[in-house]
Amino acid sequence: MFLPALSLAAFWVGGEAIMMMTALGLPLLFAFGGAFRGRDPAGMPLPDALGGLALRQHITQFMDRALQDTAITGRSTVCFVVQFDDADVLLDRHGRAVQTEVLARSAERLCAVLREGDTVARLEGGGFAIALAPVRRMDLEKMVQTAARLQSALAPPISIDAARLYVTCSIGFCLGAQSPLPNGAALLDAAQVAADEAQRNGPGAIRVFQAGMARKRADRDALRSDLEAALDNGQIRPFFQPQICTDTGAISGFEALARWVHPERGTIPPIEFLPAIEDAGLSERLGEVILYHALAALVRWDKAGLRVPNVGVNFSSAELRNPRLAEKLKWELDRFDLTPDRLCVEILETVIAETDNDVIVLNISALAKLGCGIDLDDFGTGHASITNIRRFAVRRIKIDRSFVIKVDEDREQQKLVSGILSLAERMGLETLAEGVETQGEHAMLAQLGCGHVQGFLFARPMPFDDTHDWIIQHQSRRAAPPRIGSRAR
């Protein structure tokens, strides 16, 4: 921009020749010096509020200085980590651009409710770290209130392209005095551990760092490694529990139930490891293992000449969110040369009652059209409406154990079960009662019109190798239905 002025000055000092040399030479010098080189796009700030935020190294340096000065000034800091609930769902539904815009708007709101001197940094994965400017008094109650204020700032909907998006966040924090080590990196890690714990208990949870949390997270990480190894090594595999027709006493199917056969601890019940499977994000991997062994069991029963009409496999919500689930199941059935009606897809009633995910709806519909039976598991616990039962093309409802217990003694239980069976009959649905443990319960359910039963009365879940002998023994001892007890009141 100064070239014309310099050229005129050169003409005034030395005439036309000097002016020409200046006009031609200075641009070359500027070019060699990089004056015309554009800024490196990689180093340019983000075109939104995220560009003005600190990064991890900056906020750790800020906290380093605050913690080092604590002994002199008596002031300390606190670190918050804000993590968005269902961030993966936001990304899957709306894409990366919308996610970035949501983060930018959220950063603006967080900065607006903080004081001058507080530092906000963006973290890898879409969260935020916040370090408060050092103060003398920093008690737990005030920090919980601060975390709640941060959540409230993010609560109003965010409007993007005529869409209103609601986001919630879970927050973990650590007081400077509770940091495992007196440095910023340790304080941030502690807040991150607390945030992870909050997210596990969320949505919208708040947790403060405690010394045992790091150990619990290490234990969960170790358990995840153990679970992955167990899935790969065949320690986690299905046990099979028979389902019996109340009219004929014949085997109407088996349900495949996941069990962990640990080399040292023996058989571990599902209640002890299934939540860890879900927390570790291994639900789909577990589903693949159970499905493979279940279909393989059908083939082996067929080759042995044993009639088992179908096998039921539980599908988690994580599996049902896979857009290619129907295609995947069809490939597996073709692989074992089995027709789709040999597989029952068992879905928890809570999934059907609470889902608003179009992928899940489309998947269940596709599985029903493929020919798989759709069983609604634990019926009566999730408050699924009649509309949803029709919408998801349910073939059979499985009455939860809580309605079956003492049905032969308690008239109120009988009324509840009778109402469920009447509803199912009018809707053209089959029925199966779970958790049958006594002859009286079996007899009463048969009298009330329940089509199939399952429970410890007939057999506990057993390894596949034990099913052959059990099937033969059951077929040999099929007899008349048991007599109904007279204990009803």
Side-chain angles (χ1 to χ4, degrees):
M1 65 184 295
F2 294 104
L3 185 60
L6 292 173
S7 299
L8 289 175
F11 177 77
W12 182 73
V13 172
E16 185 176 351
I18 300 299
M19 182 190 71
M20 294 297 295
M21 292 175 60
T22 301
L24 295 175
L26 283 178
L28 292 175
L29 290 174
F30 290 159
F32 284 122
F36 304 135
R37 191 179 304 150
R39 292 184 65 185
D40 182 7
M44 294 180 67
L46 295 172
D48 50 41
L50 296 177
L53 299 182
L55 299 177
R56 177 181 288 269
Q57 62 268 29
H58 302 137
I59 197 169
T60 54
Q61 291 170 3
F62 174 87
M63 292 187 293
D64 279 337
R65 291 191 296 270
L67 294 173
Q68 289 170 4
D69 295 342
T70 297
I72 301 173
T73 63
R75 300 172 181 266
S76 186
T77 185
V78 61
C79 182
F80 294 86
V81 169
V82 179
Q83 296 190 154
F84 290 92
D85 303 315
D86 299 324
D88 293 339
V89 175
L90 176 67
L91 178 60
D92 291 342
R93 289 184 180 178
H94 302 285
R96 181 72 64 182
V98 170
Q99 183 195 45
T100 302
E101 185 65 22
V102 168
L103 291 175
R105 302 277 186 89
S106 300
E108 292 174 349
R109 293 180 177 184
L110 292 174
C111 293
V113 298
L114 293 171
R115 303 167 302 164
E116 184 177 354
D118 298 337
T119 299
V120 181
R122 51 191 173 95
L123 300 176
E124 308 83 357
F128 297 104
I130 300 169
L132 299 188
V135 295
R136 290 188 181 278
R137 286 195 61 186
M138 193 168 287
D139 57 50
L140 181 60
E141 184 179 354
K142 287 185 178 179
M143 294 306 102
V144 172
Q145 293 172 355
T146 301
R149 190 166 69 248
L150 295 174
Q151 288 181 328
S152 298
L154 299 179
I158 297 175
S159 298
I160 300 178
D161 296 333
R164 291 164 61 86
L165 303 179
Y166 290 86
V167 296
T168 62
C169 66
S170 296
I171 298 178
F173 66 91
C174 180
L175 302 173
Q178 295 178 342
S179 177
L181 295 172
N183 60 66
L187 182 56
L188 178 55
D189 288 344
Q192 182 70 65
V193 169
D196 291 341
E197 186 70 18
Q199 202 161 42
R200 290 183 68 251
N201 292 275
I206 298 173
R207 291 293 184 272
V208 60
F209 174 77
Q210 297 175 351
M213 284 184 177
R215 177 61 182 271
K216 287 173 63 177
R217 187 172 74 167
D219 290 344
R220 285 196 298 269
D221 292 342
L223 180 60
R224 178 189 172 93
S225 299
D226 290 344
L227 289 170
E228 289 177 339
L231 288 168
D232 293 338
N233 298 334
Q235 295 176 16
I236 297 180
R237 54 181 181 265
F239 276 29
F240 297 90
Q241 187 174 37
Q243 299 166 340
I244 307 298
C245 176
T246 55
D247 288 337
T248 65
I251 298 170
S252 56
F254 275 86
E255 181 180 3
L257 300 163
R259 294 293 186 271
W260 185 357
V261 184
H262 196 278
E264 298 176 0
R265 298 171 55 188
T267 302
I268 301 176
I271 195 172
E272 292 187 20
F273 71 89
L274 286 183
I277 287 275
E278 186 174 354
D279 289 344
L282 296 173
S283 296
E284 288 195 75
R285 174 74 178 120
L286 173 65
E288 292 172 356
V289 169
I290 300 302
L291 178 64
Y292 172 84
H293 287 289
L295 298 182
L298 280 174
V299 172
R300 293 173 66 181
W301 286 323
D302 290 348
K303 289 182 178 179
L306 302 174
R307 170 151 179 78
V308 176
N310 56 62
V311 64
V313 176
N314 292 278
F315 282 73
S316 67
S317 57
E319 294 175 89
L320 293 170
R321 284 194 293 267
N322 182 354
R324 304 188 66 179
L325 178 62
E327 179 184 339
K328 173 183 172 182
L329 285 192
K330 186 177 186 306
W331 185 89
E332 290 286 354
L333 289 165
D334 290 343
R335 174 187 181 187
F336 287 95
D337 195 24
L338 294 169
T339 55
D341 62 293
R342 303 292 302 278
L343 175 65
C344 288
V345 176
E346 300 199 3
I347 303 167
L348 288 173
E349 187 191 14
T350 51
V351 173
I352 286 182
E354 299 171 5
T355 187
D356 58 355
N357 190 312
D358 291 339
V359 176
I360 292 180
V361 176
L362 293 174
N363 269 336
I364 297 176
S365 176
L367 295 177
K369 290 179 181 177
L370 183 63
C372 298
I374 306 298
D375 285 6
L376 189 57
D377 202 5
D378 293 346
F379 183 79
T381 62
H383 311 295
S385 68
I386 296 175
T387 303
N388 274 339
I389 293 175
R390 283 300 188 197
R391 178 188 180 201
F392 288 95
V394 173
R395 181 205 64 173
R396 180 169 69 178
I397 58 175
K398 300 183 69 177
I399 303 172
D400 186 68
R401 165 66 182 156
S402 60
F403 296 98
V404 172
I405 185 170
K406 297 188 182 301
V407 70
D408 58 325
E409 300 180 13
D410 191 334
R411 292 193 183 280
E412 293 302 318
Q413 289 285 72
Q414 293 171 21
K415 292 177 183 178
L416 286 172
V417 172
S418 181
I420 293 173
L421 295 174
S422 177
L423 172 66
E425 181 181 7
R426 291 179 179 275
M427 296 182 66
L429 302 175
E430 298 181 31
T431 53
L432 183 148
E434 299 180 287
V436 179
E437 296 186 357
T438 69
Q439 292 284 1
E441 290 171 356
H442 177 203
M444 181 58 70
L445 290 166
Q447 179 180 343
L448 292 175
C450 184
H452 306 269
V453 285
Q454 173 184 347
F456 289 173
L457 173 64
F458 311 101
R460 292 178 177 271
M462 67 190 87
F464 173 81
D465 293 339
D466 295 346
T467 59
H468 185 278
D469 292 340
W470 186 91
I471 292 172
I472 293 184
Q473 291 175 8
H474 176 78
Q475 291 175 342
S476 66
R477 65 172 180 260
R478 281 173 58 187
R483 296 174 60 186
I484 300 175
S486 58
R487 295 178 295 170
R489 57 178 184 273

